[in-house]
Amino acid sequence: MSTATVSTGVAQVNGIRLHYTRAGSGPLLVLLHGWPQTSLCWRPVLGELATTHTVIAPDLRGYGLSDKPVTGYDKRQMASDIAELVRQLGFERAAVVGHDRGARVAHRWALDRSDQVEKLAVLDVVPTREMFRRFDASVASGYWHWMFHIQPDLPELLVGNNVRAYLEYFFERWTYNRHGLTPDAVDAYVRAFSRPGALRAGFDDYRAQERDLALDDEDATAGRRLTMPLLALWGSAGLPARLPTLDIWRQYADDVTAAEIPACGHFIPEERPDVLLSHLRKFLG
């Protein structure tokens, strides 16, 4: 078991404060969480990854202990936040692992600054652009929350009085190994999204989709692809398992390795941390 010292810090980037967790030494590895979580989701794997890398796990703009401004939730801006954090911490390049919304931030970061992202792993997602291009009844039934979250004001109104019930719906429906999401972790996520501005910021992440899709379409039209090695992993019971996920990522990246993780839902770092570590060790080298 890892004995790496874990510390926390706060950095001022792009006019906001980003909270982050740090452990280990060596080449940089950045871990980007998704919704409805925070950097806490990486706790089952962070220590082991820190035996070979300097690991940085930030709370994204609007999440956790980071600031929750009213603008800046397009993935280009959110990726710029992380790029600036990396620069401030004294690193030039990083391997990046992103889960859920964090994978979308990581994808944009890798497209915009390929000189900074040397390897990219994406967990339980397909590209945003591709998801909307394949929006049939099956995709709609799995991604209904996107259409709800983008509505102005309504999600905050309906969810605000019972944050726990709303989040626990996803933690139950999106998991296969339900013991992976411990009661302490769920409590921490509920507290995080009960902070002032947190619900709105999380929904604003989704509300940025028009800008995000425009940027993705620009890249596709220009023929821009991911040139660094890409690892795509998804749970056998996760939403990407309904799609030809490997074939999809091959349309967006030159060097793709992929695998479906058995007996796993959406929350891979917490449901199957042992399997995730095995894949990441091989991928990161």
Side-chain angles (χ1 to χ4, degrees):
M1 181 172 292
S2 169
T3 58
T5 299
V6 178
S7 62
T8 60
V10 176
Q12 187 86 16
V13 301
N14 296 332
I16 65 168
R17 292 164 295 184
L18 283 188
H19 171 267
Y20 62 90
T21 298
R22 178 172 183 162
S25 60
L28 182 61
L29 174 62
V30 176
L31 308 178
L32 301 179
H33 67 85
W35 183 95
Q37 298 188 292
T38 69
S39 57
L40 180 68
C41 76
W42 301 108
R43 72 201 180 288
V45 298
L46 187 145
E48 286 301 314
L49 292 171
T51 62
T52 55
H53 288 77
T54 298
V55 181
I56 300 294
D59 289 334
L60 295 168
R61 170 185 293 246
Y63 289 85
L65 296 177
S66 291
D67 280 352
K68 298 161 183 63
V70 296
T71 60
Y73 293 93
D74 64 89
K75 303 306 156 291
R76 173 162 287 169
Q77 179 60 64
M78 293 178 77
S80 175
D81 293 342
I82 308 304
E84 177 61 17
L85 174 64
V86 165
R87 188 193 67 78
Q88 285 194 25
L89 294 176
F91 294 91
E92 295 182 356
R93 293 175 61 78
V96 183
V97 182
H99 175 243
D100 186 77
R101 307 301 296 178
R104 303 186 191 286
V105 174
H107 186 193
R108 172 48 53 195
W109 184 12
L111 284 169
D112 286 352
R113 309 188 188 211
S114 59
D115 60 322
Q116 198 173 37
V117 178
E118 56 186 359
K119 290 185 178 182
L120 173 63
V122 292
L123 308 184
D124 216 58
V125 297
V126 296
T128 302
R129 176 176 180 268
E130 202 64 31
M131 195 198 80
F132 279 97
R133 292 178 68 196
R134 296 169 180 265
F135 210 80
D136 59 11
S138 176
V139 172
S141 68
Y143 291 90
W144 64 268
H145 61 292
W146 282 55
M147 301 301 101
F148 177 55
H149 290 179
I150 67 174
Q151 303 307 315
D153 302 326
L154 183 63
E156 291 91 331
L157 176 66
L158 297 183
V159 175
N161 288 332
N162 201 340
V163 174
R164 177 177 293 277
Y166 191 64
L167 299 193
E168 286 186 343
Y169 174 88
F170 294 98
F171 293 144
E172 180 172 336
R173 292 294 297 272
W174 286 357
T175 51
Y176 184 96
N177 174 19
R178 289 174 179 165
H179 295 292
L181 274 164
T182 66
D184 286 348
V186 172
D187 287 348
Y189 299 139
V190 171
R191 286 195 302 273
F193 283 89
S194 299
R195 291 176 177 273
L199 272 182
R200 184 263 311 153
F203 297 143
D204 282 348
D205 185 350
Y206 288 84
R207 290 173 182 141
Q209 69 177 31
E210 185 174 348
R211 169 66 170 160
D212 293 336
L213 287 170
L215 292 172
D216 291 348
D217 284 342
E218 286 179 14
D219 285 326
T221 299
R224 285 189 286 272
R225 296 163 56 86
L226 298 172
T227 56
M228 69 289 296
L230 173 76
L231 172 65
L233 301 173
W234 61 92
S236 61
L239 298 174
R242 305 180 185 183
L243 299 168
T245 298
L246 171 57
D247 292 339
I248 289 172
W249 277 111
R250 281 176 171 164
Q251 297 175 38
Y252 290 81
D254 295 339
D255 180 5
V256 182
T257 304
E260 181 174 283
I261 297 178
C264 186
H266 177 62
F267 300 102
I268 295 171
E270 290 158 302
E271 292 188 61
R272 297 300 304 272
D274 53 339
V275 179
L276 175 58
L277 282 169
S278 177
H279 282 289
L280 289 179
R281 287 189 189 106
K282 186 183 301 182
F283 179 66
L284 296 171

